[in-house]
C-alpha cells in the first residue's frame, strides 16, 4: 500500500460528480477497555484509465433516457461556521500535500477520445464506461468473477464487447438513483431486443455480486430481507459481525440462505467503532476504528451515504506542519523535502523492477532501500530536513500500519492500480451509522467467541460460547491478526498453502487519542495538521491530528500514533498519553497566544491488545505479495469454509470498502457452490445418503467408544498395525437437528493410545498433531477406507445371517 496522505486527493478520469460513491479509508484499529480506541485511514484513488477508444455497435438504443447521464452528487459541505471561540488561522501557511504518484505497475492508458467525432450515444457509452471503471471493472475485458459466472458464451469478440456495454449501462442506470430497486424489465427499456440475453446475463451477475440493488435505502432493505426466488439454498454460519460479515449476511438472506452471525463482542462493527463522548455541555462522536472514506468515486460506502442522505464532508487538503518548538515549517524547505521524498520512492521503484525481473525471489525492507538511497543522494542532511523526511516516513507507516523495516520493497504498494478516485470524506456522526443500519433485523448472537470450526463433506460445526452451531457452510470474517494468533482451531487443519499465506502477510498497528475539548481552539478552516519530532524512533507519535469538529457534533481532535510509536503507545498509561499530546498542542498554540484547555474527555485505543483483532489492518510484509491476499480468500473443504475481510481483498486491502466488497464477493461464491451442489443428480445424492446411513448403522455397535470417538476395527487382522475406522461425532445444542460426523483411518495401536487420553480436545490434538490424521466427511474416505467398510459390513452380515441394508 502507499502512503495515504490525509490531505491529498486525486480524481477519477471523468473528474466529475458522476458516480460519487463514497470511498472510505479503513483504519482498522481496535478498541480497549480503557477510555481509548484506535483508527487510521489509508486513502486510495482510482487508476487513471480511460474508456475504450472504440465500442462495438452499441446495444443501447437511442431512446430518451436520463439514466445515462452523469450521476449528480450534492457538493459536500466545505466549512461549517464554527460556533466555538478560536482563531481563523492556526498559524502555518496553507500547504497542499499532494499524494505521491503511483509506482507499482504501469496503468493501462487508452488513446484519448476525439469527442468531436462521437455521437451523443457514444458519449453516453463513454460516460458509462468511466462509471464502470470507478467501480473496478476493466476497460475492455471481463473480470475473473464474470468469467467464472459464464456471462458470455465465448471470451473475446463481439458478444463480450456488447456484454460490457450492456453491463455498464445497467450499472449506470442504478447508480443514477440508488434509492430504488432496479428491475430486469427496467434494465431492458433502452436495450435493443436482440440483446435481451445479454441483459439477463449482466443483470443477474450485477445483482448476485452486489454491484446493484444493495444498501440501506428503505426500498432496498425491504427487498433484501426476503429470498429473491423463494428457494432455500442452505444454512450459513457467519463468524464476525464486522462490515464483511454484515454485508454478506444481508446478501445471503436475499439469496435464500438461512443465516446466523456469531460475534465475540457485545456490539457489531468490528474494527469500525464510533464512541459517543461528552462532558461540560459538549459531546461528539469519535471514530476509533475505520474513519475516513478514502475516495468516493465507485466506493460502495459512498452509495450507503447517498441512500441515508448523509452530507459528506470533504477532507480539505491543507495540512500545516509544525516544528518541535511550535514554529511553522519553512514552506521552501517543506516543498524541497517532499520532492526529495517522492524521488527516493521513484528510485526504489526502478530498483525493485530490475530486481523482480532478474531475481524474482529477492526482497528487502522498504525502509532499508529508502535509507540507502537517502545516503547516496545526500537527502535531508540537516536537522529540519531530516525531521520533515521522518514525518513523511511516519505517514507512510500510518498508511501501512507498520514499520518501514517490515514492508516489502517489492510489493508494499501492490494495490495502487486499483485505488478509488475522488475526495476523501468524513461521515457525519461516524461510520457506526452504517454498521447499525446493516445490523438491523439480522440474527446476530453477541458475545459468542468462536473457538473452533469443524468441516467435512456433510457440513460444518462452529463452536462458540459453549454452543454448537451447525450449517452447510461457514464464512469466517475475523481479522488476520486473529488467524495469525491461531485463536480459532480448524478441523481438519487449514491447508498448508493458506497457513503459509497467513504467516507471510503482515498485520500492523495504528492507535489514536480522541480528545473532546470545551471549544475549538485550533480553528475551523483545516481538517488536519502535523507535528515533527527530533526523535526518529518516535516519529509516528502524534505526528498527525484530525479535526472532526465539522462532522462529530462537537470540538473533537484526534491524534494518530503510527509505526514503532504505536507499539510503545500501548505500554503507556492513558493519562501519560494525553499529557504528551497536550504538551505538543500547547507548544504549537501557546506561542500564538492561544490557550489550550484540558479536554473534557479523552479516549486512547489499544488495538494491538484487543483479543478480537490483535492489530489494525494488513500490509504486504517482506517475502509476501498480493497473491497472499488471494490465497487467504480461497475457500477450503470443497466449498464448506469461506473467508472474507479486508485481508482477503487484494485490490482494496486495509480499507472499509475492501471489507464490504469481500463480503459481497463471498456471498456470490457461496451461491455458486450451492447451485453446483443442487445440480448433482438425485440418484447420486440418494447413493451418498444411503452410504452414510449404512455407515451410521455400523457405528451403532462400535468396537470401542470414548467420548465423541467411536472405532470400528478391520476384522481381517488383530495386528496392532492394522487399520481401523475412526468416527468423531459433533453434536449438541445447535440451530438445526442432526450432527456432523467426520472420519479417519487410524492404526489399532493408535486407537488404544488415544482411548487413554482424557478429554475430546486433547484427543483431537493428539490425532492431528501426533498421529497426523486428517478427518474427512463420508465422501472423502480413501479406497483403503472403503475397503475396511466393505469387510466390516461383510463380516457382520455373516455373523447376523445377513444385514441386507448394510451393503456399503
Amino acid at each position: 500500500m502507499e502512503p495515504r496522505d490525509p490531505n491529498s486527493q486525486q480524481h477519477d478520469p471523468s473528474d466529475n460528480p458522476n458516480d460519487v460513491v463514497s470511498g472510505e479509508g479503513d483504519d482498522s484499529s481496535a478498541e480497549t477497555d480503557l477510555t481509548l480506541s484506535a483508527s487510521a485511514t489509508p486513502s486510495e484513488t482510482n487508476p487513471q484509465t480511460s474508456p475504450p477508444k472504440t465500442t462495438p455497435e452499441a446495444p443501447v438504443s437511442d431512446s430518451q433516457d436520463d439514466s445515462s447521464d452523469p450521476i449528480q452528487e450534492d457538493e459536500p459541505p466545505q466549512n461549517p461556521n464554527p460556533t466555538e471561540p478560536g482563531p481563523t488561522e492556526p498559524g502555518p501557511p496553507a500547504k497542499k500535500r499532494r499524494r505521491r504518484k503511483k509506482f507499482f505497475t504501469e496503468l493501462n492508458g487508452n488513446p484519448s477520445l476525439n469527442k468531436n467525432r462521437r455521437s451523443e450515444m457514444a458519449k453516453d457509452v463513454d460516460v458509462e464506461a468511466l462509471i464502470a471503471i470507478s467501480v473496478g471493472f476493466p476497460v475492455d475485458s471481463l473480470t475473473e468473477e464474470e468469467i467464472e459466472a459464464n456471462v458470455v458464451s465465448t471470451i473475446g469478440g463481439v458478444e463480450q464487447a456488447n456484454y460490457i456495454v450492456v453491463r455498464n449501462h445497467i450499472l449506470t442506470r442504478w447508480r443514477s438513483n440508488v434509492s430504488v430497486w432496479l428491475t430486469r424489465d427496467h434494465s431492458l427499456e433502452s436495450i435493443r431486443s436482440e440483446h435481451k440475453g445479454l441483459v439477463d446475463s449482466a443483470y443477474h451477475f450485477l445483482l448476485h455480486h452486489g454491484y446493484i440493488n444493495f444498501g440501506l435505502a428503505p426500498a432496498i432493505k425491504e427487498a433484501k430481507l426476503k429470498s429473491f426466488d423463494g428457494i432455500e439454498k442452505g444454512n450459513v454460519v457467519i463468524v464476525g459481525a464486522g462490515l464483511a460479515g454484515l454485508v454478506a449476511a444481508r446478501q445471503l438472506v436475499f439469496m435464500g440462505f438461512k443465516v446466523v452471525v456469531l460475534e465475540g463482542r457485545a456490539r457489531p462493527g468490528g474494527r469500525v467503532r464510533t464512541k459517543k463522548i461528552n462532558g461540560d455541555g459538549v459531546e461528539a462522536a469519535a471514530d476509533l476504528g475505520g474513519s475516513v472514506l478514502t475516495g468516493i468515486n465507485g466506493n460502495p460506502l459512498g452509495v450507503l451515504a447517498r441512500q441515508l442522505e448523509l452530507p459528506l464532508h470533504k477532507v480539505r487538503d491543507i495540512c500545516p506542519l509544525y516544528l518541535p518548538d511550535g514554529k511553522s515549517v519553512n514552506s521552501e524547505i517543506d516543498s524541497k523535502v517532499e520532492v526529495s521524498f517522492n524521488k527516493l520512492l521513484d528510485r526504489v521503484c526502478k530498483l525493485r523492477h530490475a530486481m523482480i525481473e532478474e531475481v524474482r525471489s529477492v526482497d528487502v525492507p522498504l525502509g532499508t532501500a529508502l535509507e540507502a538511497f537517502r545516503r547516496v543522494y545526500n537527502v535531508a542532511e540537516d536537522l529540519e530536513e531530516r525531521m520533515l523526511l521522518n514525518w513523511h516516513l511516519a505517514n507512510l507507516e500510518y498508511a501501512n500500519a507498520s514499520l518501514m523495516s517490515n514492508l516489502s520493497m517489492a510489493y508494499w504498494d501492490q494495490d495502487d492500480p486499483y485505488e478509488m478516485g475522488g475526495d476523501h470524506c468524513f461521515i457525519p456522526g461516524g461510520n457506526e451509522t452504517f454498521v447499525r443500519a446493516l445490523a438491523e433485523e439480522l440474527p446476530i448472537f453477541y458475545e459468542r467467541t468462536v473457538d473452533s470450526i469443524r468441516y467435512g463433506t456433510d457440513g460444518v460445526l462452529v463452536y462458540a460460547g459453549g454452543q454448537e452451531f451447525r450449517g452447510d457452510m461457514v464464512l469466517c470474517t475475523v481479522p488476520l491478526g486473529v488467524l495469525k494468533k491461531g485463536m480459532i482451531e480448524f478441523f481438519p487443519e487449514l491447508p498448508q498453502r493458506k497457513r503459509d499465506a497467513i504467516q507471510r502477510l503482515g498485520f500492523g498497528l495504528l492507535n489514536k487519542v480522541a480528545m473532546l475539548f470545551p471549544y475549538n481552539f485550533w480553528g475551523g478552516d483545516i481538517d488536519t495538521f502535523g507535528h515533527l519530532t527530533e526523535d526518529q524512533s518516535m516519529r509516528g507519535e502524534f505526528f498527525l491530528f484530525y479535526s472532526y469538529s465539522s462532522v462529530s457534533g462537537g470540538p473533537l481532535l484526534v491524534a494518530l500514533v503510527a509505526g514503532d510509536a504505536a507499539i510503545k503507545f500501548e505500554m503507556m498509561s492513558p493519562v501519560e498519553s494525553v499529557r504528551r499530546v497536550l504538551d505538543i498542542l500547547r507548544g504549537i498554540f501557546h506561542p500564538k497566544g492561544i490557550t489550550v484547555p484540558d479536554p473534557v474527555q479523552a479516549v486512547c485505543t489499544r488495538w494491538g491488545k484487543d483479543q478480537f483483532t490483535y492489530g489494525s489492518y494488513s500490509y504486504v510484509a517482506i517475502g509476501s505479495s498480493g497473491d497472499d491476499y488471494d490465497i487467504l480468500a480461497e475457500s477450503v473443504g470443497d466449498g464448506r469454509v469461506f473467508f472474507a475481510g479486508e485481508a482477503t481483498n487484494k485490490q482494496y486491502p486495509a480499507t472499509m470498502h475492501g471489507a464490504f466488497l469481500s463480503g459481497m464477493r463471498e456471498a456470490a461464491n457461496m451461491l455458486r457452490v450451492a447451485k453446483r451442489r443442487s445440480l448433482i443428480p438425485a440418484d447420486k445424492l440418494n447413493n451418498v445418503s444411503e452410504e452414510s446411513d449404512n455407515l451410521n448403522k455400523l457405528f451403532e455397535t462400535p468396537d470401542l467408544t470414548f467420548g465423541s470417538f467411536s472405532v470400528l476395527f478391520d476384522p481381517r487382522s488383530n495386528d496392532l498395525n492394522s487399520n481401523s475406522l475412526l468416527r468423531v461425532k459433533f453434536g449438541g445444542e445447535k440451530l438445526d437437528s442432526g450432527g456432523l460426523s467426520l472420519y479417519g483411518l487410524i492404526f489399532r495401536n493408535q486407537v488404544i493410545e488415544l482411548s487413554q487420553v482424557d478429554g475430546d480436545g486433547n484427543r483431537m490434538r493428539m490425532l492431528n498433531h501426533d498421529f497426523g490424521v486428517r478427518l474427512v466427511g463420508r465422501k472423502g474416505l480413501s479406497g483403503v477406507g472403503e475397503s475396511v467398510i466393505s469387510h466390516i459390513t461383510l463380516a457382520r452380515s455373516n455373523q447376523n445371517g445377513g444385514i441386507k441394508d448394510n451393503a456399503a
Side-chain angles (χ1 to χ4, degrees), residues 55-62 121 125 158-167 169 188-196 198-199:
T55 58
E57 182 184 4
V60 184
S61 73
D62 53 6
M121 183 175 67
V125 169
V158 175
E159 182 191 22
Q160 173 178 303
N162 282 333
Y163 164 85
I164 290 173
V165 175
V166 170
R167 175 248 281 156
H169 182 68
L188 274 169
E189 287 178 1
S190 55
I191 307 293
R192 297 213 303 268
S193 59
E194 63 263 35
H195 296 293
K196 183 181 295 185
L198 292 178
V199 172

Side-chain angles (χ1 to χ4, degrees), residues 126-416:
D126 290 342
V127 169
E128 292 171 358
L130 289 170
I131 291 174
I133 290 168
S134 76
V135 175
F137 286 102
V139 176
D140 53 5
S141 61
L142 302 178
T143 64
E144 290 183 10
E145 289 178 327
E146 287 176 305
I147 294 172
E148 288 179 355
N150 297 314
V151 294
V152 294
S153 58
T154 305
I155 303 299
V158 175
E159 182 191 22
Q160 173 178 303
N162 282 333
Y163 164 85
I164 290 173
V165 175
V166 170
R167 175 248 281 156
N168 295 351
H169 182 68
I170 295 173
L171 180 65
T172 302
R173 286 185 71 97
W174 185 68
R175 289 284 175 129
S176 69
N177 188 353
V178 295
S179 294
V180 301
W181 186 273
L182 178 67
T183 65
R184 171 188 165 278
D185 290 341
H186 192 194
S187 301
L188 274 169
E189 287 178 1
S190 55
I191 307 293
R192 297 213 303 268
S193 59
E194 63 263 35
H195 296 293
K196 183 181 295 185
L198 292 178
V199 172
D200 288 341
S201 180
Y203 178 81
H204 287 106
F205 173 82
L206 294 172
L207 180 67
H208 294 161
H209 288 76
Y211 290 105
I212 62 172
N213 295 339
F214 69 84
L216 300 171
I220 305 292
K221 285 183 71 175
E222 182 181 356
K224 286 285 188 176
L225 287 174
K226 55 188 177 183
S227 170
F228 70 92
D229 60 6
I231 300 174
E232 290 190 11
K233 308 297 192 307
N235 302 322
V236 175
V237 181
I238 297 178
V239 181
L243 281 176
L246 294 175
V247 168
R250 300 192 80 85
Q251 187 76 344
L252 287 167
V253 168
F254 168 67
M255 289 173 170
F257 290 88
K258 290 182 179 179
V259 172
V260 61
V261 183
L262 307 179
E263 170 56 52
R265 304 181 193 272
R267 62 164 183 87
R271 286 169 281 171
V272 175
R273 188 196 178 196
T274 306
K275 183 176 178 62
K276 298 292 178 63
I277 55 180
N278 56 71
D280 292 349
V282 292
E283 63 178 9
D287 272 322
L288 303 177
S291 58
V292 181
L293 305 190
T294 54
I296 55 176
N297 291 351
N299 193 308
L301 294 184
V303 172
L304 302 192
R306 290 169 61 194
Q307 291 172 331
L308 296 176
E309 298 182 346
L310 297 176
L312 301 180
H313 173 80
K314 172 187 172 182
V315 181
R316 288 163 286 187
D317 60 359
I318 297 173
C319 182
L321 296 182
Y322 297 94
L323 294 166
D325 61 4
K327 294 180 181 178
S328 301
V329 169
N330 179 282
S331 59
E332 291 184 5
I333 297 177
D334 189 0
S335 298
K336 173 187 174 184
V337 172
E338 189 168 9
V339 168
S340 297
F341 172 68
N342 283 316
K343 285 184 177 178
L344 288 177
L345 287 171
D346 258 330
R347 292 183 174 111
V348 170
C349 178
K350 292 175 182 176
L351 171 65
R352 61 122 171 258
H353 276 308
M355 289 175 61
I356 291 172
E357 289 176 6
E358 294 293 330
V359 188
R360 290 186 174 272
S361 61
V362 171
D363 198 2
V364 297
L366 176 63
T368 300
L370 283 173
E371 176 61 15
F373 280 116
R374 187 195 71 79
R375 291 176 181 275
V376 168
Y377 292 98
N378 302 315
V379 173
E381 293 192 297
D382 69 33
L383 180 59
E384 184 171 349
E385 289 183 357
R386 192 61 192 274
M387 287 191 293
L388 270 167
L389 181 64
N390 279 327
W391 188 89
H392 285 288
L393 293 173
N395 196 39
L396 201 62
E397 292 179 326
Y398 151 49
N400 294 275
S402 189
L403 282 65
M404 299 294 295
S405 57
N406 293 335
L407 298 178
S408 162
M409 185 195 74
Y411 300 108
W412 68 279
D413 56 347
Q414 61 84 34
D415 59 315
D416 273 12

